[in-house]
Amino acid sequence: MVRGDIDETLSLVEDVRERAQPRPQLYVVFDAARPLAPTSRHSLEAIDEVTIGRGTAASATRRDRVLDLRRIDRWMSSVHVRLRRNGAGFQIEDGGSKNGTLVNGTRTSEALLQDGDVIGVGQTLLLFRDRVPTSVRAPLDVDTSELQPRVAALATLSPELGVMFDALIAVGSSAVPVLVYGETGTGKEGIARAVHALSHRKGPCVAVNCGALPTALVASELFGYRAGAFSGATEDRPGLARSADGGTLFLDEIGDLPEVAQTALLRVLQEREVLPLGATRAIPIDLRVVAATHRDLAAAVAKGTFRADLFARLRGFTARLPPLRERREDFGLIVAAVLRRHAPDEGEHVTFTSTAARALIEHPWPHNIRELERRLVTAVALARGTPIERDQLFEEPDEIPAEPAAADGADAGDRDALVAALLATGGNIVQTARRLGTHPRQVYRWIDRHAISLAELRTRR
């Protein structure tokens, strides 16, 4: 050991600088005319003025405390709007533009920006945040085209969420169990599959919706059974846990798992073996567990409805996914991913009216990304190549078409026909609806009713 390691007093200055500090940020969140275009984040720290206008390419140039942002937007003027530092905040001033500047949907010539204000410039929407916890090491300008996460689901413009995703990547290649908290529909299964991809495990990622398993069948579904174990058991079944051998078992809505199954699952995790119903000898398995829930498991443990020892086994690393309404910074990134995944043929040609684009950003999204997927796919089908209107995104419940008869025999009870159509189309909801002669929204209803995992189906194609 070097003597200086003992005698010298270490400095805390560097540690303090590394901590995230609240800094103003400006986000380019959505382009209504080019929804697949990259979005970006720009630090306003040490910036006194921002100019925003039309350019031949998207760019961000900094010089003498001035930030110049250029966007490929034909509805923008060359110098459309300026943001000027005003004390601790920023003042927005329209630059005499042809199409005007909107703040939260209201045409504005001059205003003091508030945290969370949405700025409409041409066909582009920007988001102003005045106190975003950001590390001093974070780049001043970030474009989503430059983000290269090892797994696409872990891309984000949020500095806070980025820190969590980086930690997830760090534990991804280990055997550490992961527990994901988040509201229903926030993309917890996407995180589980990202962890599986990072682990490089050769086995599959098997998703289990614990809340959808009938109580009487939980044990047989999870752990399998031998022929003759019970009435109707005519053949051996491996169960979902053994199906994930060598891979990852994703236990979605783990908080809904019945207590008797919690005990059996704990034994599997402790002993690394499964005892199928009707068997006399346990079978060794090698799997990694990722669990997810929208419930407060710590509170469930305190109430006695969830086993404390199982909770301890599951929470090796805890990730918390914010709801979609709190991820407006990533809205363009998420919309582009949904369009590429669910409407790959139409996505390149999809456009939105400016009113529809603002409605997307302003909607509270109570059902999160799952609701966004449903509304976008439906709107793409209704628009038929024309710009998507607000009413096509947000139909009232009484405007939803009645459930039509399905051409290929798929109805609310025909799960096999629905799965076959989804497999044939690679999980494309619009194409599946056309194949079944129904409405895309009805396809989503059936998917929810039968607890079908689209991500899992796509891997089977």
Side-chain angles (χ1 to χ4, degrees), residues 108-121:
T108 304
S109 59
E110 184 176 309
L112 183 64
L113 289 176
Q114 305 296 320
D115 181 54
D117 278 349
V118 175
I119 305 166
V121 183

Side-chain angles (χ1 to χ4, degrees), residues 13-25 27 41-45 62 131-142 157-164 166:
V13 173
E14 183 176 353
D15 180 59
V16 171
R17 288 176 179 171
E18 287 302 307
R19 297 175 189 168
Q21 300 292 328
R23 309 176 196 278
Q25 303 278 353
Y27 296 84
R41 182 186 83 229
H42 308 278
S43 173
L44 302 185
E45 185 83 356
R62 294 172 179 269
R131 293 176 62 83
V132 179
T134 311
S135 167
V136 69
R137 287 192 174 187
L140 298 176
D141 302 290
V142 180
L157 284 174
S158 166
E160 291 178 282
L161 198 54
V163 170
M164 191 266 282
D166 286 344

Side-chain angles (χ1 to χ4, degrees), residues 171-439:
V171 303
S173 59
S174 71
V176 173
V178 175
L179 178 60
V180 185
Y181 283 100
E183 293 180 9
T184 300
T186 50
K188 297 188 291 293
E189 183 171 347
I191 295 298
R193 295 191 178 278
V195 171
H196 175 68
L198 291 166
S199 72
H200 301 295
R201 296 178 68 86
K202 295 181 180 180
C205 180
V206 177
V208 182
N209 187 336
C210 298
L213 293 175
T215 303
L217 301 178
V218 169
S220 60
E221 288 291 322
L222 280 178
F223 312 121
Y225 54 84
R226 296 297 191 199
F230 51 84
S231 177
T234 58
E235 59 182 3
D236 290 354
R237 288 289 179 91
L240 295 166
R242 282 178 59 198
S243 297
D245 189 25
T248 302
L249 181 64
F250 172 50
L251 299 170
D252 196 11
E253 300 304 347
I254 187 70
D256 295 334
L257 195 65
E259 187 172 354
V260 62
Q262 292 178 31
T263 302
L265 176 61
L266 177 63
R267 184 184 182 281
V268 170
L269 299 182
Q270 287 177 332
E271 306 300 330
R272 294 287 173 180
E273 59 184 24
V274 171
L275 182 65
L277 294 180
T280 58
R281 182 173 299 177
I283 301 171
I285 58 171
D286 169 31
L287 54 77
R288 183 184 193 170
V289 172
V290 178
T293 182
H294 69 282
R295 301 186 185 278
D296 184 343
L297 290 190
V301 169
K303 290 179 181 178
T305 57
F306 198 85
R307 291 187 63 115
D309 42 9
L310 178 57
F311 182 43
R313 282 276 177 179
L314 294 173
R315 60 170 184 170
F317 176 83
T318 300
R320 297 184 183 275
L321 273 183
L324 183 57
R325 63 184 172 275
E326 295 177 10
R327 292 190 65 184
R328 290 192 297 171
E329 297 89 341
D330 284 332
F331 208 85
L333 188 68
I334 295 170
V335 168
V338 170
L339 290 175
R340 289 190 178 102
R341 184 167 62 247
H342 293 290
D345 297 331
E346 302 93 338
E348 290 290 343
H349 310 291
V350 169
T351 61
F352 295 79
T353 65
S354 56
T355 302
R358 286 198 307 275
L360 278 174
I361 301 296
E362 294 167 358
H363 187 66
W365 300 107
H367 303 295
N368 296 295
I369 295 175
R370 189 172 298 165
E371 179 187 357
L372 175 66
E373 291 175 336
R374 174 175 61 82
R375 291 191 182 278
L376 282 179
V377 170
T378 300
V380 169
L382 293 174
R384 299 177 179 269
T386 62
I388 292 174
E389 301 279 353
R390 184 195 182 284
D391 290 346
Q392 293 167 334
L393 283 165
F394 300 102
E395 292 178 295
E396 295 303 320
D398 58 1
E399 293 176 334
I400 298 175
E403 184 175 319
D408 289 358
D411 57 27
D414 196 343
R415 187 181 192 278
D416 291 341
L418 176 60
V419 169
L422 287 166
L423 285 171
T425 62
N428 185 302
I429 303 298
V430 173
Q431 293 179 14
T432 297
R434 290 171 182 164
R435 180 179 288 262
L436 298 178
T438 189
H439 195 276

